[in-house]
Amino acid sequence: MQAGDKVPDITLPDQHGNPFSFTELIGKTSVVVFFYPKNFTPGCTREACDFRDHYSRFKELGAEVIGISSDSEKSHSKFISKFDLPYTFLSDGKAKARKAFGVKSNLFGLLPGRETFIFDENGRLLHKFNNMNEGKHVQEALEVLRKK
């Protein structure tokens, strides 16, 4: 995906098993979508909690946050409950979203990639950020939203 591209028209199950479509948010809110490797791992937990700790700032900037991994809906539900995560998580067990967004694997293909995408309220890509350092994603996304 490149700046200006439209958010992919795909549907994935959320943490409750309900279908979620990105296109439902078009015209309503900006969206920060972060892909991460796995629930309950140290780096992924830090990243998810960092988004949690800054969630009110994202809301103030008119953005919704969505986390995506290959974990099951049940795993997402436990992850949310354990760490009090206030935003939506989507299950991408068949890598449908990873393919649609063009998220590449890291560490010689051994780990699913860690990449963040920021879309405006019209569903157009403003910025994407690929870095295995989980600590940089929240600040980068907030910076992009502040400038828009």
Side-chain angles (χ1 to χ4, degrees), residues 30-34 47-66 87 116-119 126-129 134-148:
S30 296
V31 183
V32 175
V33 179
F34 73 98
E47 181 178 27
C49 290
D50 199 15
F51 274 105
R52 175 202 63 205
D53 295 345
H54 291 86
Y55 186 65
S56 63
R57 187 69 186 120
F58 283 105
K59 296 302 279 183
E60 288 169 10
L61 292 168
E64 188 51 66
V65 174
I66 298 170
Y87 48 88
T116 298
F117 297 81
I118 301 101
F119 294 91
L126 295 172
H127 184 71
K128 67 180 181 175
F129 182 70
E134 73 282 345
K136 296 185 176 189
H137 289 257
V138 167
Q139 292 309 317
E140 181 101 4
L142 286 170
E143 187 177 316
V144 169
L145 289 168
R146 277 188 216 108
K147 289 179 181 176
K148 88 172 180 84

Side-chain angles (χ1 to χ4, degrees), residues 103-134:
V103 177
K104 305 223 181 329
S105 296
N106 288 310
L107 290 177
F108 309 106
L110 299 174
L111 278 179
R114 182 182 309 280
E115 194 160 351
T116 298
F117 297 81
I118 301 101
F119 294 91
D120 68 14
E121 59 279 349
N122 297 312
R124 297 281 178 190
L125 182 64
L126 295 172
H127 184 71
K128 67 180 181 175
F129 182 70
N130 182 346
N131 192 314
M132 283 308 282
N133 180 344
E134 73 282 345

Side-chain angles (χ1 to χ4, degrees), residues 17-121:
N18 298 321
F20 177 92
S21 173
F22 291 99
T23 57
E24 293 173 19
L25 299 175
I26 294 175
K28 297 177 186 169
T29 185
S30 296
V31 183
V32 175
V33 179
F34 73 98
F35 287 83
Y36 65 100
K38 185 136 185 72
N39 290 342
F40 300 105
T41 58
C44 296
T45 299
R46 276 191 301 275
E47 181 178 27
C49 290
D50 199 15
F51 274 105
R52 175 202 63 205
D53 295 345
H54 291 86
Y55 186 65
S56 63
R57 187 69 186 120
F58 283 105
K59 296 302 279 183
E60 288 169 10
L61 292 168
E64 188 51 66
V65 174
I66 298 170
I68 301 177
S69 77
S70 62
D71 293 295
S72 69
E73 297 94 354
K74 185 176 180 181
S75 177
H76 283 326
S77 187
K78 288 179 182 177
F79 192 51
I80 289 166
S81 182
K82 180 166 182 162
F83 296 104
D84 195 28
L85 304 170
Y87 48 88
T88 300
F89 281 81
L90 302 177
S91 181
D92 190 29
K94 295 183 181 175
K96 185 171 147 181
R98 283 188 181 278
K99 289 175 189 162
F101 282 77
V103 177
K104 305 223 181 329
S105 296
N106 288 310
L107 290 177
F108 309 106
L110 299 174
L111 278 179
R114 182 182 309 280
E115 194 160 351
T116 298
F117 297 81
I118 301 101
F119 294 91
D120 68 14
E121 59 279 349

